[in-house]
Amino acid sequence: MSTALAQKRGLGAAIWDYLTTVDHKKIAQLYLVSGGIFFLIGGLEAMLIRIQLMQPNSDFISAGLYNEMITMHGTTMIFLAAMPLIFALMNAVVPLQIGARDVAFPFLNSLGFWLFLAGGLILNCSWFLGGAPDAGWTAYAPLSATSPGHGVDYYVIGLQISGAGTLIGGINFLVTIVNMRAPGMSYMRMPLFTWASFVTSNLILFAFPALTVGLFLLMFDRMFGSAFFDVGLGGNAIIWEHLFWIFGHPEVYILILPVFGAFSDIFSTFSTKRLFGYSAMVFATVLIGFLGFMVWAHHMFTTGLGPVANSIFAVSTMAIAVPTGIKIFNWLFTMWGGKIRMTSAMLWSIAFIPTFTIGGMTGVMLAAAAADYQYHDTYFVVAHFHYVIVGGVVFGFFAALHYWWPKMFGKVLNEKLGKLAFWPFFIGFHLTFFIQHFLGLMGMPRRYWTYQEGQGLDLGNLISTVGAFLMAIGTLIFVYNVIYTAMKEKKVSGDPWDGRTLEWSIPSPPPFYNFKQTPLVRGLDPLWIEKQDGKTGMTPAEPLGDIHMPNGSFLPFLMSLGLFIAGFGFIYQVDHKGWLALVFIGMGITLGSMLTRSLKDDLGYHVHKEELEEGGGNHES
Amino acid sequence: MANNTNSANKPVDFKKKHSKEEMKQQVITFALMIMFTLVAFGLVLAEVTSFFVIPILIILAIVQVLFQLYYFMHMKNKGHSMVSVMMFGGISIGILTIITFTTIIWW
């Protein structure tokens, strides 16, 4: 099997390899590419929004299209860009950091990716098939339940399918981290990125079902004539808001926690110091995850929950500032007295600290329920969540990609271009969003198509749009950097940053079985400990032996394809029952693939000891 | 498992004793669970006021579930801490949701 793969391959074979792969490193690349493309699409939508708002009474895009833009910008960025990029990092790094040869469920890992992609494509097909969803990324009922056309149907079906993929991916990482750590890798020796991925996977497991339920209710309301959100028939529109935010608030921690973990690893590596307050960092991560489930109603202060509920949720929200503060100070103390190397990854990380702190402060302001009546649905809120999501998550992605790029692709991203991308993005980001705090305080409501002249909003919006263009320039320089690095840069060793954790103890990119021999972990920052003892690599925990690997499979792609087809059937069967044929065909493909998977034993194959000894089996290019 | 390969008498004795202990606990819990069920049926048959019966039935049900999990599904044994963290985490989040829905949405 492995020798057959080692042959020179054409383009078709390479595509087939990616369609059937169950290797977590290749799935990471798939997540990275598709998430990156969706990020660019979401960015394009953001640019159109900003151009529309550049001048008062602008008519650049129509009001209806504007609604579709804001909806798809939010939905794309959260579900189709940030989530897959999180999974790209987790797939690329977590198994390596815990010394595992693969994830616990390689097949499910691949299924998770293809489901996400199927959902994302369905959502974006709506642009060409009669209009995108236009009820906001939160799709509040009753607007979403009554919005005409098929836009919101695409939202429901697309998110349902990609949400299933995310749930599967989360469970996979949960089991991987619990069961597949190398000997000696106890919980309190796991790198912070792995810890954060573990907590994130827990949040996915517990939060996504709420979204699934909410989407099903909305689907039945829109497609099958039920009335869960129809007040006229005894329904209750507020239930959607609750279900959405019971999912939605943990979701923002699902996004931010892994990059917190990545920052921790980056600060520690580039300060050449052990992470300050490791156990406090772990505690803070778990606490943020835990508290993340008790704060969702702070998105709904003005819906009339009553003063008691508002106070409870205000206090629990403010409590989250405590563990987050612990993290901020620990990062600062990690750098204190360290031998700091100002790489691009470090630059993004350092820029993240003040940026995220500003976002956190406005967060506490918004958490004050009484004051929130003033801020509610204004640009103040828009500024706040862009400070935490762009200033936190997007800065984090850039930092983490610079940091782990050599591990994923064997080449260091060009440092000069990396810094050149940072400055326009960083300056542009603050230009775009800092002024929006004040626009919001002056009363500019979010999601409005345009605004009147002479209300003091003109200059602020112009500055904001100029900033957005700078961010776009920064992003394009980063994309150029990726291409430039792939063409021009030289291969580097497995450990270009003088790393501390297990992933830097193996070649870059790693062989498909990751570790020839499972390493023995002797403490936190295991590779650093060995370096301190004058060794060059990890001590193996086992003799060289045969390695069991899973076979690739085309079934995950087929299952997702089936759901993709069935999705269109569900959307259009409202118009004509003939469309139900698509549902039957699609579900037939999916269920048939599941049956095949259940009935056919697939026991994988072994990479033999002899192949490993002659350096064979390592056919990654 | 490793101690089974040792042919000395001690580990075997220990294992026997352990199984005996386990058996005893299972029989006791089983008896208790049957008793709980009888009590539950008895209360309903005796037509005690529902204000009193419903909470009792719920408590008995919870205790039975815990018996089931801890004694029959071995959650009391070692190596199940992650399982219980996950289960109780999920349960507490579910309960939080239900409390919210019953207090501030449906009243």
Side-chain angles (χ1 to χ4, degrees):
Chain A
M1 177 77 197
S2 60
T3 42
L5 277 170
Q7 308 301 320
K8 277 269 178 226
R9 298 166 303 172
L11 179 68
I15 291 174
W16 177 251
D17 184 27
Y18 273 94
L19 286 179
T20 58
T21 188
V22 292
D23 179 354
H24 67 93
K25 295 174 289 297
K26 283 185 183 156
I27 292 172
Q29 293 171 11
L30 290 171
Y31 268 122
L32 181 65
V33 170
S34 45
I37 290 171
F38 281 126
F39 180 76
L40 294 179
I41 294 173
L44 187 67
E45 286 152 7
M47 293 312 295
L48 294 175
I49 294 171
R50 276 324 313 171
I51 294 171
Q52 162 64 20
L53 292 174
M54 188 161 60
Q55 294 165 325
N57 290 319
S58 167
D59 217 359
F60 176 69
I61 51 177
S62 71
L65 187 58
Y66 183 81
N67 286 348
E68 295 174 13
M69 280 302 161
I70 55 159
T71 304
M72 284 302 282
H73 168 67
T75 313
T76 304
M77 283 303 197
I78 298 281
F79 292 101
L80 310 183
M83 290 302 300
L85 289 173
I86 291 285
F87 272 113
L89 292 179
M90 279 162 61
N91 268 301
V93 178
V94 167
L96 306 183
Q97 277 195 336
I98 60 175
R101 293 221 169 88
D102 207 328
V103 291
F105 305 123
F107 181 90
L108 287 188
N109 200 14
S110 154
L111 180 61
F113 167 75
W114 290 111
L115 283 176
F116 143 73
L117 190 66
L121 289 178
I122 286 185
L123 205 50
N124 275 284
C125 280
S126 63
W127 286 114
F128 311 105
L129 298 167
D134 55 358
W137 85 278
T138 51
Y140 277 0
L143 175 61
S144 58
T146 51
S147 166
H150 285 300
V152 180
D153 297 335
Y154 278 100
Y155 174 94
V156 171
I157 297 292
L159 288 193
Q160 193 68 276
I161 293 174
S162 76
T166 307
L167 196 51
I168 288 172
I171 291 169
N172 174 34
F173 277 99
L174 215 49
V175 180
T176 304
I177 295 172
V178 171
N179 286 329
M180 298 187 65
R181 285 166 289 129
M185 177 65 84
S186 62
Y187 281 108
M188 290 312 275
R189 286 176 181 178
M190 295 196 307
L192 243 279
F193 181 74
T194 300
W195 251 113
S197 301
F198 179 61
V199 175
T200 290
S201 306
N202 272 302
L203 296 188
I204 289 174
L205 177 64
F206 292 135
F208 267 76
L211 178 71
T212 308
V213 170
L215 287 173
F216 267 125
L217 299 186
L218 189 56
M219 179 180 169
F220 275 81
D221 265 20
R222 284 187 65 89
M223 298 174 195
F224 303 109
S226 65
F228 292 109
F229 305 126
D230 186 345
V231 180
L233 291 171
N236 187 342
I238 291 294
I239 291 173
W240 167 266
E241 286 193 39
H242 277 286
L243 285 173
F244 186 85
W245 287 116
I246 286 171
F247 147 76
H249 201 82
E251 165 72 10
V252 300
Y253 293 125
I254 290 169
L255 299 180
I256 197 71
L257 283 178
V259 302
F260 277 180
F263 283 131
S264 305
D265 287 2
I266 290 167
F267 278 127
S268 150
T269 303
F270 292 115
S271 306
T272 331
K273 259 181 78 185
R274 192 192 138 130
L275 185 71
F276 186 92
Y278 172 83
S279 41
M281 286 297 248
V282 170
F283 171 72
T285 309
V286 175
L287 193 60
I288 291 175
F290 188 66
L291 285 175
F293 280 101
M294 356 201 127
V295 298
W296 78 87
H298 68 214
H299 298 268
M300 307 166 55
F301 279 150
T302 58
T303 53
L305 304 174
V308 177
N310 271 7
S311 313
I312 291 170
F313 283 104
V315 171
S316 61
T317 304
M318 291 177 197
I320 289 190
V322 176
T324 317
I326 291 174
K327 283 185 159 291
I328 298 274
F329 282 111
N330 278 337
W331 287 320
L332 294 176
F333 289 140
T334 303
M335 286 189 284
W336 191 334
K339 198 179 87 193
I340 295 178
R341 282 172 289 162
M342 264 300 175
T343 56
S344 305
M346 193 62 172
L347 201 58
W348 283 106
S349 309
I350 289 177
F352 146 83
I353 290 184
T355 312
F356 191 82
T357 308
I358 294 172
M361 303 234 307
T362 52
V364 177
M365 287 170 75
L366 286 161
D372 185 66
Y373 277 81
Q374 191 66 30
Y375 309 133
H376 179 78
D377 258 356
T378 68
Y379 262 77
F380 191 83
V381 179
V382 175
H384 159 72
F385 66 69
H386 281 92
Y387 259 82
V388 284
I389 293 186
V390 181
V393 182
V394 177
F395 281 26
F397 284 140
F398 282 128
L401 286 178
H402 273 284
Y403 179 56
W404 279 308
W405 202 268
K407 193 41 68 187
M408 292 175 77
F409 299 101
K411 291 174 173 182
V412 175
L413 281 174
N414 186 290
E415 279 290 307
K416 250 188 201 148
L417 282 171
K419 284 168 187 163
L420 196 65
F422 168 79
W423 287 108
F425 195 96
F426 179 70
I427 295 167
F429 165 76
H430 283 280
L431 270 186
T432 311
F433 294 110
F434 195 73
I435 195 90
Q436 288 186 2
H437 291 115
F438 300 98
L439 288 173
L441 292 176
M442 283 188 267
M444 183 170 163
R446 70 189 273 208
R447 289 178 171 162
Y448 276 31
W449 170 53
T450 188
Y451 52 95
Q452 295 296 313
E453 223 172 322
Q455 293 183 324
L457 304 174
D458 309 13
L459 181 64
N461 274 300
L462 181 64
I463 293 174
S464 190
T465 303
V466 171
F469 274 100
L470 281 176
M471 287 169 80
I473 291 170
T475 310
L476 290 179
I477 297 176
F478 183 84
V479 173
Y480 173 70
N481 191 2
V482 169
I483 299 165
Y484 178 87
T485 304
M487 314 261 282
K488 296 275 167 95
E489 289 287 332
K490 282 203 254 329
K491 291 251 173 192
V492 292
S493 75
D495 184 16
W497 307 122
D498 195 10
R500 314 172 68 83
T501 41
L502 277 183
E503 74 266 35
W504 304 111
S505 69
I506 50 175
S508 302
F512 66 96
Y513 47 79
N514 295 351
F515 294 89
K516 206 178 268 186
Q517 288 161 288
T518 306
L520 179 70
V521 176
R522 297 199 290 142
L524 182 63
D525 291 344
L527 182 58
W528 192 253
I529 291 177
E530 303 297 330
K531 284 178 180 173
Q532 292 299 301
D533 285 358
K535 293 179 196 150
T536 47
M538 299 299 299
T539 314
E542 55 171 22
L544 193 62
D546 290 0
I547 295 175
H548 178 247
M549 294 301 289
N551 282 328
S553 173
F554 190 49
L555 290 174
F557 181 85
L558 274 184
M559 290 180 191
S560 310
L561 180 73
L563 283 178
F564 181 80
I565 295 169
F568 284 97
F570 278 116
I571 291 169
Y572 286 105
Q573 52 81 27
V574 181
D575 301 338
H576 189 277
K577 289 298 163 205
W579 287 96
L580 280 174
L582 277 189
V583 174
F584 290 122
I585 294 171
M587 291 312 285
I589 295 174
T590 303
L591 294 174
S593 311
M594 288 165 76
L595 195 68
T596 315
R597 170 72 182 169
S598 309
L599 295 182
K600 221 181 89 185
D601 277 337
D602 185 356
L603 302 172
Y605 65 98
H606 282 89
V607 185
H608 294 290
K609 202 167 139 185
E610 294 72 29
E611 276 178 82
L612 292 169
E613 272 165 351
E614 65 205 32
N618 183 4
H619 53 64
E620 300 293 301
S621 54
Chain B
M1 269 185 278
N3 52 7
N4 280 353
T5 54
N6 194 337
S7 56
N9 266 341
K10 252 190 174 167
V12 179
D13 281 351
F14 172 76
K15 203 162 185 299
K16 242 184 185 168
K17 206 176 157 197
H18 185 74
S19 321
K20 208 176 166 190
E21 189 71 12
E22 191 100 316
M23 188 66 194
K24 200 176 89 189
Q25 285 170 347
Q26 292 208 350
V27 170
I28 291 173
T29 12
F30 188 57
L32 277 174
M33 284 166 83
I34 288 176
M35 203 182 79
F36 285 175
T37 312
L38 290 178
V39 168
F41 272 96
L43 280 173
V44 176
L45 284 177
E47 289 180 5
V48 185
T49 161
S50 63
F51 180 75
F52 180 71
V53 168
I54 290 172
I56 294 279
L57 288 187
I58 291 173
I59 291 169
L60 288 179
I62 291 172
V63 172
Q64 288 212 25
V65 168
L66 291 178
F67 274 167
Q68 177 82 20
L69 289 174
Y70 277 84
Y71 286 95
F72 293 155
M73 299 177 82
H74 301 288
M75 259 174 73
K76 69 176 170 46
N77 298 4
K78 264 188 187 162
H80 289 70
S81 50
M82 187 52 72
V83 175
S84 36
V85 167
M86 301 296 293
M87 280 181 51
F88 289 113
I91 290 171
S92 56
I93 289 160
I95 287 179
L96 193 67
T97 310
I98 291 168
I99 289 175
T100 313
F101 272 52
T102 47
T103 51
I104 60 181
I105 304 179
W106 296 318
W107 217 240

